[in-house]
Amino acid sequence: MTDKQMNELVSFLLAGDENSSWNFICNLIEEKDSFFFFEDILTRCMRYIGELWENNEISVADEHVASNICNLLISRYNLQSNNETTPLVVEGKPKAMLFCIQGEEHSIGMKMVSSIFKENGFDTRYLGANLPVKDSVIYANIWRPDVIGISLSIIYNLPTLLECLKELNQLDYNPEIIVGGRITSLYQLKSYCPSNVVVIEGLYQLRSWLTGNKLCERVYVYS
């Protein structure tokens, strides 16, 4: 996607024009995969919109309108993808629990991650934004996911993340824990996290992690 194309799409997002945004994207993605749609199109646009807000070129209301359209586009893309693919019956389906840490309201990125885990055969539970630490631990104890994914965008929420990681590491089994979000591209987050935590800096790195993960090597049976 060129800068000119990005600016045109951003104008549709800020105008709250879902249909024009969708039609524009359909002409871009053609045969490209979900990672291109999520990372190279939507994430790039939303980061640029975030920069516009930081520079006082748009209002908070404008940013919220664009975010809402972005959420609708993700849902629309997922619906189309589900209609075009053969239903998947999975033996020993691995489980992924995904959420944004307490204090985090930006959940678009984790919604994309949830879609990608589903595409890779996971039984996925997306718990949304601003999930209290206590509730995340309770849910993990009950559902016992194989993978726990946490999103962090604001550096001020780092102490809450570390508290959450400490609590999750006291579970009586050993789920794989991954941390992602905008903050990973700005700070060396790995130096703050326990050694067993994997820091993911973007969706393409997530793809590499999934490709090499033993949970994705289970036998899948297509109906």
Side-chain angles (χ1 to χ4, degrees):
M1 183 171 65
T2 66
D3 288 345
K4 181 179 178 181
Q5 289 172 323
M6 181 191 69
N7 286 327
E8 188 171 354
L9 179 54
V10 164
S11 69
F12 291 140
L13 294 172
L14 290 172
D17 192 338
E18 178 189 349
N19 287 330
S20 294
S21 298
W22 177 252
N23 291 333
F24 189 86
I25 288 171
C26 287
N27 291 325
L28 286 175
I29 58 177
E30 298 178 352
E31 299 299 321
K32 295 184 174 67
D33 61 14
S34 298
F35 291 91
F36 179 80
F37 171 65
F38 290 138
E39 183 76 4
D40 297 303
I41 296 179
L42 292 189
T43 299
R44 184 179 172 191
C45 284
M46 290 309 299
R47 283 177 178 165
Y48 179 64
I49 288 170
E51 292 173 4
L52 293 176
W53 173 76
E54 289 173 354
N55 294 328
N56 294 317
E57 296 180 48
I58 62 172
S59 68
V60 173
D62 293 323
E63 191 271 340
H64 285 184
V65 168
S67 296
N68 182 55
I69 297 300
C70 191
N71 273 307
L72 292 173
L73 293 173
I74 294 171
S75 298
R76 196 163 173 173
Y77 178 83
N78 289 337
L79 179 61
Q80 177 174 293
S81 298
N82 290 338
N83 289 336
E84 292 177 351
T85 55
T86 304
L88 183 66
V89 178
V90 183
E91 294 181 352
K93 197 171 187 178
K95 299 191 291 187
M97 168 184 159
L98 310 168
F99 63 94
C100 301
I101 199 71
Q102 184 173 350
E104 293 284 344
E105 298 292 347
H106 294 86
S107 59
I108 291 176
M110 192 53 91
K111 189 173 182 179
M112 297 177 188
V113 170
S114 176
S115 298
I116 289 169
F117 268 93
K118 288 178 181 177
E119 285 185 10
N120 282 269
F122 280 77
D123 179 4
T124 304
R125 301 285 175 88
Y126 170 52
L127 278 61
N130 197 26
L131 185 69
V133 172
K134 178 181 178 181
D135 293 275
S136 66
V137 175
I138 290 173
Y139 198 90
N141 263 316
I142 294 172
W143 196 51
R144 302 180 75 81
D146 299 283
V147 177
I148 299 175
I150 308 171
S151 178
L152 177 71
S153 298
I154 304 173
I155 190 62
Y156 303 114
N157 291 326
L158 180 59
T160 305
L161 171 68
L162 299 181
E163 176 191 353
C164 186
L165 294 175
K166 179 180 178 180
E167 293 293 327
L168 291 174
N169 270 326
Q170 294 178 21
L171 294 170
D172 62 1
Y173 75 112
N174 296 307
E176 299 197 49
I177 301 176
I178 62 175
V179 174
R182 177 175 174 269
I183 203 71
T184 61
S185 64
L186 303 175
Y187 299 91
Q188 293 295 321
L189 197 61
K190 183 62 181 176
S191 62
Y192 296 95
C193 296
S195 59
N196 65 310
V197 173
V198 177
V199 175
I200 301 292
E201 299 179 12
L203 296 181
Y204 285 111
Q205 187 175 346
L206 176 63
R207 180 170 65 180
S208 297
W209 183 83
L210 285 167
T211 299
N213 194 284
K214 63 181 182 297
L215 293 170
C216 296
E217 298 173 358
R218 300 184 180 186
V219 177
Y220 295 160
V221 180
Y222 291 86
S223 61

PDB file of all heavy atoms in Angstrom, residues 179-201:
ATOM      1  N   VAL A 179       3.254 -11.682  24.906  1.00  0.00           N
ATOM      2  CA  VAL A 179       2.884 -10.285  25.140  1.00  0.00           C
ATOM      3  C   VAL A 179       3.151  -9.501  23.865  1.00  0.00           C
ATOM      4  O   VAL A 179       4.208  -9.632  23.249  1.00  0.00           O
ATOM      5  CB  VAL A 179       3.686  -9.673  26.303  1.00  0.00           C
ATOM      6  CG1 VAL A 179       3.380  -8.190  26.435  1.00  0.00           C
ATOM      7  CG2 VAL A 179       3.363 -10.392  27.608  1.00  0.00           C
ATOM      8  N   GLY A 180       2.170  -8.700  23.452  1.00  0.00           N
ATOM      9  CA  GLY A 180       2.331  -7.862  22.271  1.00  0.00           C
ATOM     10  C   GLY A 180       1.683  -6.512  22.494  1.00  0.00           C
ATOM     11  O   GLY A 180       1.280  -6.171  23.597  1.00  0.00           O
ATOM     12  N   GLY A 181       1.594  -5.758  21.412  1.00  0.00           N
ATOM     13  CA  GLY A 181       0.995  -4.433  21.500  1.00  0.00           C
ATOM     14  C   GLY A 181       1.957  -3.353  21.041  1.00  0.00           C
ATOM     15  O   GLY A 181       3.152  -3.594  20.825  1.00  0.00           O
ATOM     16  N   ARG A 182       1.441  -2.168  20.911  1.00  0.00           N
ATOM     17  CA  ARG A 182       2.208  -1.038  20.386  1.00  0.00           C
ATOM     18  C   ARG A 182       3.480  -0.780  21.185  1.00  0.00           C
ATOM     19  O   ARG A 182       4.510  -0.380  20.626  1.00  0.00           O
ATOM     20  CB  ARG A 182       1.329   0.206  20.399  1.00  0.00           C
ATOM     21  CG  ARG A 182       1.997   1.495  19.946  1.00  0.00           C
ATOM     22  CD  ARG A 182       1.000   2.629  19.892  1.00  0.00           C
ATOM     23  NE  ARG A 182       1.648   3.913  19.601  1.00  0.00           N
ATOM     24  CZ  ARG A 182       2.099   4.733  20.525  1.00  0.00           C
ATOM     25  NH1 ARG A 182       1.976   4.419  21.815  1.00  0.00           N
ATOM     26  NH2 ARG A 182       2.673   5.875  20.194  1.00  0.00           N
ATOM     27  N   ILE A 183       3.456  -1.051  22.467  1.00  0.00           N
ATOM     28  CA  ILE A 183       4.582  -0.744  23.339  1.00  0.00           C
ATOM     29  C   ILE A 183       5.836  -1.545  22.976  1.00  0.00           C
ATOM     30  O   ILE A 183       6.963  -1.122  23.232  1.00  0.00           O
ATOM     31  CB  ILE A 183       4.190  -0.998  24.822  1.00  0.00           C
ATOM     32  CG1 ILE A 183       5.076  -0.174  25.757  1.00  0.00           C
ATOM     33  CG2 ILE A 183       4.243  -2.462  25.171  1.00  0.00           C
ATOM     34  CD1 ILE A 183       4.792   1.279  25.709  1.00  0.00           C
ATOM     35  N   THR A 184       5.635  -2.712  22.343  1.00  0.00           N
ATOM     36  CA  THR A 184       6.777  -3.579  22.031  1.00  0.00           C
ATOM     37  C   THR A 184       7.693  -2.970  20.965  1.00  0.00           C
ATOM     38  O   THR A 184       8.859  -3.345  20.872  1.00  0.00           O
ATOM     39  CB  THR A 184       6.298  -4.961  21.563  1.00  0.00           C
ATOM     40  OG1 THR A 184       5.507  -4.812  20.367  1.00  0.00           O
ATOM     41  CG2 THR A 184       5.465  -5.641  22.629  1.00  0.00           C
ATOM     42  N   SER A 185       7.155  -2.060  20.159  1.00  0.00           N
ATOM     43  CA  SER A 185       7.976  -1.420  19.130  1.00  0.00           C
ATOM     44  C   SER A 185       8.680  -0.173  19.657  1.00  0.00           C
ATOM     45  O   SER A 185       9.524   0.404  18.964  1.00  0.00           O
ATOM     46  CB  SER A 185       7.120  -1.055  17.914  1.00  0.00           C
ATOM     47  OG  SER A 185       6.136  -0.092  18.263  1.00  0.00           O
ATOM     48  N   LEU A 186       8.365   0.233  20.879  1.00  0.00           N
ATOM     49  CA  LEU A 186       8.926   1.460  21.448  1.00  0.00           C
ATOM     50  C   LEU A 186       9.931   1.196  22.568  1.00  0.00           C
ATOM     51  O   LEU A 186      10.810   2.024  22.813  1.00  0.00           O
ATOM     52  CB  LEU A 186       7.796   2.347  21.989  1.00  0.00           C
ATOM     53  CG  LEU A 186       6.710   2.753  20.988  1.00  0.00           C
ATOM     54  CD1 LEU A 186       5.601   3.528  21.701  1.00  0.00           C
ATOM     55  CD2 LEU A 186       7.301   3.586  19.863  1.00  0.00           C
ATOM     56  N   TYR A 187       9.800   0.061  23.247  1.00  0.00           N
ATOM     57  CA  TYR A 187      10.658  -0.255  24.388  1.00  0.00           C
ATOM     58  C   TYR A 187      11.137  -1.701  24.309  1.00  0.00           C
ATOM     59  O   TYR A 187      10.504  -2.538  23.668  1.00  0.00           O
ATOM     60  CB  TYR A 187       9.896  -0.047  25.713  1.00  0.00           C
ATOM     61  CG  TYR A 187       9.427   1.369  25.939  1.00  0.00           C
ATOM     62  CD1 TYR A 187       8.164   1.779  25.522  1.00  0.00           C
ATOM     63  CD2 TYR A 187      10.246   2.302  26.569  1.00  0.00           C
ATOM     64  CE1 TYR A 187       7.730   3.083  25.726  1.00  0.00           C
ATOM     65  CE2 TYR A 187       9.816   3.604  26.779  1.00  0.00           C
ATOM     66  CZ  TYR A 187       8.559   3.988  26.356  1.00  0.00           C
ATOM     67  OH  TYR A 187       8.135   5.277  26.555  1.00  0.00           O
ATOM     68  N   GLN A 188      12.245  -1.975  24.975  1.00  0.00           N
ATOM     69  CA  GLN A 188      12.760  -3.341  25.077  1.00  0.00           C
ATOM     70  C   GLN A 188      11.994  -4.074  26.174  1.00  0.00           C
ATOM     71  O   GLN A 188      12.481  -4.254  27.293  1.00  0.00           O
ATOM     72  CB  GLN A 188      14.270  -3.310  25.375  1.00  0.00           C
ATOM     73  CG  GLN A 188      15.114  -2.765  24.248  1.00  0.00           C
ATOM     74  CD  GLN A 188      15.063  -3.653  23.014  1.00  0.00           C
ATOM     75  OE1 GLN A 188      15.058  -4.880  23.105  1.00  0.00           O
ATOM     76  NE2 GLN A 188      15.028  -3.029  21.842  1.00  0.00           N
ATOM     77  N   LEU A 189      10.793  -4.475  25.844  1.00  0.00           N
ATOM     78  CA  LEU A 189       9.894  -5.044  26.848  1.00  0.00           C
ATOM     79  C   LEU A 189      10.422  -6.359  27.411  1.00  0.00           C
ATOM     80  O   LEU A 189      10.156  -6.705  28.571  1.00  0.00           O
ATOM     81  CB  LEU A 189       8.503  -5.254  26.232  1.00  0.00           C
ATOM     82  CG  LEU A 189       7.344  -5.454  27.202  1.00  0.00           C
ATOM     83  CD1 LEU A 189       7.185  -4.243  28.101  1.00  0.00           C
ATOM     84  CD2 LEU A 189       6.049  -5.728  26.440  1.00  0.00           C
ATOM     85  N   LYS A 190      11.174  -7.090  26.609  1.00  0.00           N
ATOM     86  CA  LYS A 190      11.675  -8.395  27.049  1.00  0.00           C
ATOM     87  C   LYS A 190      12.504  -8.284  28.315  1.00  0.00           C
ATOM     88  O   LYS A 190      12.485  -9.199  29.160  1.00  0.00           O
ATOM     89  CB  LYS A 190      12.511  -9.029  25.923  1.00  0.00           C
ATOM     90  CG  LYS A 190      13.025 -10.420  26.236  1.00  0.00           C
ATOM     91  CD  LYS A 190      11.894 -11.399  26.458  1.00  0.00           C
ATOM     92  CE  LYS A 190      12.418 -12.786  26.805  1.00  0.00           C
ATOM     93  NZ  LYS A 190      11.329 -13.739  27.118  1.00  0.00           N
ATOM     94  N   SER A 191      13.211  -7.181  28.490  1.00  0.00           N
ATOM     95  CA  SER A 191      14.073  -7.025  29.663  1.00  0.00           C
ATOM     96  C   SER A 191      13.275  -6.899  30.958  1.00  0.00           C
ATOM     97  O   SER A 191      13.819  -7.090  32.046  1.00  0.00           O
ATOM     98  CB  SER A 191      14.973  -5.795  29.494  1.00  0.00           C
ATOM     99  OG  SER A 191      14.199  -4.613  29.398  1.00  0.00           O
ATOM    100  N   TYR A 192      11.988  -6.592  30.867  1.00  0.00           N
ATOM    101  CA  TYR A 192      11.143  -6.454  32.048  1.00  0.00           C
ATOM    102  C   TYR A 192      10.385  -7.741  32.378  1.00  0.00           C
ATOM    103  O   TYR A 192       9.920  -7.919  33.500  1.00  0.00           O
ATOM    104  CB  TYR A 192      10.110  -5.335  31.839  1.00  0.00           C
ATOM    105  CG  TYR A 192      10.695  -3.965  31.675  1.00  0.00           C
ATOM    106  CD1 TYR A 192      10.930  -3.437  30.407  1.00  0.00           C
ATOM    107  CD2 TYR A 192      11.012  -3.176  32.778  1.00  0.00           C
ATOM    108  CE1 TYR A 192      11.463  -2.167  30.244  1.00  0.00           C
ATOM    109  CE2 TYR A 192      11.541  -1.907  32.625  1.00  0.00           C
ATOM    110  CZ  TYR A 192      11.765  -1.411  31.353  1.00  0.00           C
ATOM    111  OH  TYR A 192      12.295  -0.151  31.197  1.00  0.00           O
ATOM    112  N   CYS A 193      10.234  -8.613  31.383  1.00  0.00           N
ATOM    113  CA  CYS A 193       9.356  -9.775  31.529  1.00  0.00           C
ATOM    114  C   CYS A 193      10.108 -11.003  32.027  1.00  0.00           C
ATOM    115  O   CYS A 193      11.324 -11.126  31.808  1.00  0.00           O
ATOM    116  CB  CYS A 193       8.696 -10.105  30.191  1.00  0.00           C
ATOM    117  SG  CYS A 193       7.604  -8.823  29.563  1.00  0.00           S
ATOM    118  N   PRO A 194       9.413 -11.933  32.680  1.00  0.00           N
ATOM    119  CA  PRO A 194      10.030 -13.212  33.056  1.00  0.00           C
ATOM    120  C   PRO A 194      10.574 -13.930  31.828  1.00  0.00           C
ATOM    121  O   PRO A 194      10.105 -13.709  30.707  1.00  0.00           O
ATOM    122  CB  PRO A 194       8.865 -13.982  33.690  1.00  0.00           C
ATOM    123  CG  PRO A 194       7.915 -12.926  34.150  1.00  0.00           C
ATOM    124  CD  PRO A 194       8.021 -11.813  33.154  1.00  0.00           C
ATOM    125  N   SER A 195      11.535 -14.798  32.034  1.00  0.00           N
ATOM    126  CA  SER A 195      12.232 -15.445  30.917  1.00  0.00           C
ATOM    127  C   SER A 195      11.336 -16.333  30.067  1.00  0.00           C
ATOM    128  O   SER A 195      11.633 -16.587  28.892  1.00  0.00           O
ATOM    129  CB  SER A 195      13.408 -16.269  31.456  1.00  0.00           C
ATOM    130  OG  SER A 195      12.953 -17.263  32.367  1.00  0.00           O
ATOM    131  N   ASN A 196      10.247 -16.839  30.641  1.00  0.00           N
ATOM    132  CA  ASN A 196       9.366 -17.731  29.885  1.00  0.00           C
ATOM    133  C   ASN A 196       8.360 -16.995  29.006  1.00  0.00           C
ATOM    134  O   ASN A 196       7.637 -17.622  28.230  1.00  0.00           O
ATOM    135  CB  ASN A 196       8.598 -18.638  30.845  1.00  0.00           C
ATOM    136  CG  ASN A 196       7.639 -17.866  31.740  1.00  0.00           C
ATOM    137  OD1 ASN A 196       8.022 -16.880  32.371  1.00  0.00           O
ATOM    138  ND2 ASN A 196       6.391 -18.296  31.797  1.00  0.00           N
ATOM    139  N   VAL A 197       8.320 -15.676  29.104  1.00  0.00           N
ATOM    140  CA  VAL A 197       7.350 -14.885  28.343  1.00  0.00           C
ATOM    141  C   VAL A 197       7.941 -14.516  26.986  1.00  0.00           C
ATOM    142  O   VAL A 197       9.081 -14.056  26.888  1.00  0.00           O
ATOM    143  CB  VAL A 197       6.961 -13.612  29.117  1.00  0.00           C
ATOM    144  CG1 VAL A 197       6.078 -12.708  28.261  1.00  0.00           C
ATOM    145  CG2 VAL A 197       6.248 -13.981  30.413  1.00  0.00           C
ATOM    146  N   VAL A 198       7.147 -14.722  25.927  1.00  0.00           N
ATOM    147  CA  VAL A 198       7.569 -14.381  24.572  1.00  0.00           C
ATOM    148  C   VAL A 198       6.985 -13.026  24.202  1.00  0.00           C
ATOM    149  O   VAL A 198       5.778 -12.818  24.302  1.00  0.00           O
ATOM    150  CB  VAL A 198       7.089 -15.441  23.560  1.00  0.00           C
ATOM    151  CG1 VAL A 198       7.467 -15.038  22.138  1.00  0.00           C
ATOM    152  CG2 VAL A 198       7.679 -16.805  23.899  1.00  0.00           C
ATOM    153  N   VAL A 199       7.842 -12.096  23.796  1.00  0.00           N
ATOM    154  CA  VAL A 199       7.401 -10.770  23.365  1.00  0.00           C
ATOM    155  C   VAL A 199       7.272 -10.779  21.845  1.00  0.00           C
ATOM    156  O   VAL A 199       8.225 -11.111  21.133  1.00  0.00           O
ATOM    157  CB  VAL A 199       8.378  -9.671  23.816  1.00  0.00           C
ATOM    158  CG1 VAL A 199       7.954  -8.319  23.255  1.00  0.00           C
ATOM    159  CG2 VAL A 199       8.444  -9.620  25.344  1.00  0.00           C
ATOM    160  N   ILE A 200       6.084 -10.422  21.347  1.00  0.00           N
ATOM    161  CA  ILE A 200       5.803 -10.432  19.921  1.00  0.00           C
ATOM    162  C   ILE A 200       5.720  -9.001  19.405  1.00  0.00           C
ATOM    163  O   ILE A 200       4.881  -8.219  19.845  1.00  0.00           O
ATOM    164  CB  ILE A 200       4.472 -11.159  19.625  1.00  0.00           C
ATOM    165  CG1 ILE A 200       4.520 -12.608  20.144  1.00  0.00           C
ATOM    166  CG2 ILE A 200       4.147 -11.108  18.141  1.00  0.00           C
ATOM    167  CD1 ILE A 200       5.479 -13.506  19.400  1.00  0.00           C
ATOM    168  N   GLU A 201       6.605  -8.660  18.482  1.00  0.00           N
ATOM    169  CA  GLU A 201       6.654  -7.291  17.957  1.00  0.00           C
ATOM    170  C   GLU A 201       6.000  -7.221  16.575  1.00  0.00           C
ATOM    171  O   GLU A 201       6.650  -6.974  15.574  1.00  0.00           O
ATOM    172  CB  GLU A 201       8.099  -6.812  17.892  1.00  0.00           C
ATOM    173  CG  GLU A 201       8.789  -6.771  19.250  1.00  0.00           C
ATOM    174  CD  GLU A 201      10.228  -6.308  19.148  1.00  0.00           C
ATOM    175  OE1 GLU A 201      10.611  -5.799  18.069  1.00  0.00           O
ATOM    176  OE2 GLU A 201      10.970  -6.461  20.127  1.00  0.00           O
TER     177      GLU A 201
END
